[in-house]
Amino acid sequence: MIFGQVHGTAVCTIKYAGTEGLKLLVVQPLNKKLEPIGALQVAVDVVDAGIGDLCMMVRSREAALAMPEITFVPVDLALVGIIDELIVRPDGDFDYTLRSGVTHYS
Amino acid sequence: MILGKVVGTVVTTLSHPHFDNRRLLVVQPMVSEGEESEDEFIAVDHTHAGIGDTVLVNREGNGARQVLNLPDGCIISVIVGIVDSVEIIE
């Protein structure tokens, strides 16, 4: 699941059958430092997020499974959580590289 | 599955029912030397991992659904193990 910020809403009258009544939000995917990565996308909202909310999104088939009633609609990005608290340690704290040889982790 | 380092925690009160009373952790994938780092993501904790642990993460929906036994769960990444040591022979 990835971070996202809601930037707006989208309204769509003519669309795939079965996707009526799904709330569409324009979201900006973010990284852990809450910097934008990639372009704006449209996600289906499941938890009534508002403009400016920091939220958690899920992609691919799991987004279709996150719909209110599980119907197989062509949705590949769903907004499944509104983040209230986020604690992220700065990059310098940990070592992310895999070195050859044996490495023991506490 | 991938090796990752837990770098943070996420708290959500308003979320999809499948996320009820599950801990969410921010995981940064580990890469070998000289490779470009991958984007970090949020994973559901299944093994009581904490910040700073090196973990094994399953990033495929089917595996996540079986681990959390949610037949139609909308969860992709699940932490399935805490790594003690890694040996890489090149």
Side-chain angles (χ1 to χ4, degrees):
Chain A
M1 287 75 78
I2 53 174
F3 295 105
Q5 186 159 35
V6 180
H7 277 230
T9 58
V11 176
C12 193
T13 45
I14 300 171
K15 55 190 174 182
Y16 189 84
T19 57
E20 296 84 8
L22 294 181
K23 186 177 159 197
L24 302 175
L25 291 178
V26 177
V27 290
Q28 166 67 58
L30 305 173
N31 63 15
K32 67 181 177 189
K33 300 185 184 103
L34 306 186
E35 291 147 359
I37 41 173
L40 287 177
Q41 291 167 32
V42 177
V44 173
D45 175 30
V46 177
V47 284
D48 300 334
I51 307 286
D53 282 352
L54 176 65
C55 44
M56 177 172 66
M57 307 190 296
V58 65
R59 283 198 188 289
S60 72
R61 181 173 184 264
E62 283 63 39
L65 286 171
M67 293 299 107
E69 7 26 86
I70 305 295
T71 57
F72 252 105
V73 283
V75 164
D76 76 346
L77 185 61
L79 203 146
V80 287
I82 298 175
I83 293 174
D84 297 314
E85 191 191 308
L86 174 64
I87 300 168
V88 175
R89 298 279 283 274
D91 279 343
D93 282 13
F94 304 118
D95 172 18
Y96 305 128
T97 54
L98 288 170
R99 288 185 179 73
S100 56
V102 179
T103 322
H104 290 283
Y105 297 105
S106 61
Chain B
M1 290 182 292
I2 64 161
L3 282 166
K5 187 75 89 171
V6 177
V7 291
T9 58
V10 167
V11 173
T12 62
T13 40
L14 252 180
S15 62
H16 192 279
H18 290 159
F19 291 93
D20 287 351
N21 48 55
R22 296 197 194 281
R23 282 182 68 230
L24 297 170
L25 296 173
V26 181
V27 176
Q28 172 85 40
M30 299 178 78
V31 288
S32 41
E33 281 155 318
E35 271 184 31
E36 212 215 310
S37 69
E38 286 173 31
D39 287 342
E40 59 285 349
F41 54 89
I42 306 172
V44 168
D45 176 28
H46 196 62
T47 57
H48 305 300
I51 292 184
D53 286 348
T54 305
V55 289
L56 211 57
V57 187
N58 180 324
R59 298 195 69 185
E60 197 274 330
N62 254 336
R65 282 191 282 282
Q66 283 159 25
V67 164
L68 301 171
N69 61 55
L70 281 170
D72 43 27
C74 65
I75 295 168
I76 291 183
S77 327
V78 179
I79 293 178
V80 290
I82 299 180
V83 175
D84 293 328
S85 70
V86 169
E87 180 176 12
I88 297 172
I89 302 156
E90 264 156 27

